Amino acid sequence: MLLVGGLALTSCSKGSGVSQRAGSHEAAAVGASSERHATAPMPQNPRDINALFENEASSRPAGVLRAEDALAAFQRAGVALTEQRQHLARPYGARYCVGAFAGGRDIALSVCEYIDATAAQTGAAESRKISLANREIRVNHATSLTIREINKTAANDALSSRLFDSFAKL
């Protein structure tokens, strides 16, 4: 199954962190510097897709609008979502992303969490460089919402507007 940007969707679990051999001062410095990285750390084997998902899931930024909260707000606004799953955030410069479908399968959406508002704006700008028809990206502080209308219709335009309105109110 494909979603926004053509990324395959899959599930996730937790990954590993700083080496246990690092001293407390060194570990604190490593932890602080990793917080400034826009994306989650690479796993030991960068070809291990499960490890990529695990690292992103365990490196979510604190204090930002969470993907789950955005998706729940959409559902409270009466939008039925299906096939909610994590997808890779790294290609968008994000720490964590979740995709879903709305309007049956007529609208693909993605909510991505970034380390800060600047990273979210940068990630959205980079993503816009990928030419995809009927796609729009909006940023709310350090979180982005990407909507792609698979079938461009007036009804889907209205549904997209409702999603963006709900997102803006969070």
Side-chain angles (χ1 to χ4, degrees):
M1 168 178 57
L2 297 178
L3 189 63
V4 182
L7 292 176
L9 301 179
T10 188
S11 61
C12 67
S13 64
K14 192 171 181 177
S16 62
V18 177
S19 168
Q20 292 181 355
R21 287 186 284 166
S24 62
H25 178 69
E26 183 181 343
V30 169
S33 69
S34 70
E35 286 301 314
R36 285 178 270 169
H37 292 279
T39 59
M42 283 298 273
Q44 192 170 30
N45 177 0
R47 293 182 184 173
D48 182 348
I49 191 76
N50 288 329
L52 285 169
F53 281 106
E54 290 171 4
N55 280 0
E56 289 183 358
S58 67
S59 299
R60 293 176 73 175
V64 303
L65 171 60
R66 295 178 64 83
E68 297 90 335
D69 295 334
L71 297 173
F74 302 154
Q75 290 177 320
R76 282 192 306 274
V79 178
L81 300 176
T82 61
E83 302 179 49
Q84 297 178 43
R85 288 185 216 153
Q86 179 187 4
H87 67 81
L88 284 178
R90 179 173 292 278
Y92 304 102
R95 281 286 181 96
Y96 182 77
C97 295
V98 174
F101 287 99
R105 291 182 53 94
D106 284 345
I107 295 176
L109 62 98
S110 174
V111 179
C112 292
E113 301 170 7
Y114 293 82
I115 59 169
D116 58 33
T118 301
Q121 291 293 343
T122 300
E126 287 299 311
S127 185
R128 287 182 185 108
K129 292 178 182 178
I130 301 168
S131 179
L132 286 174
N134 306 321
R135 178 181 65 153
E136 189 172 345
I137 304 167
R138 304 250 181 108
V139 174
N140 183 342
H141 301 287
T143 305
S144 71
L145 170 61
T146 301
I147 295 177
R148 180 165 183 236
E149 292 183 30
I150 308 301
N151 296 307
K152 184 82 169 148
T153 66
N156 287 338
D157 288 346
L159 183 53
S160 294
S161 291
R162 193 164 47 166
L163 287 163
F164 281 130
D165 289 345
S166 295
F167 184 67
K169 292 175 185 175
L170 296 174

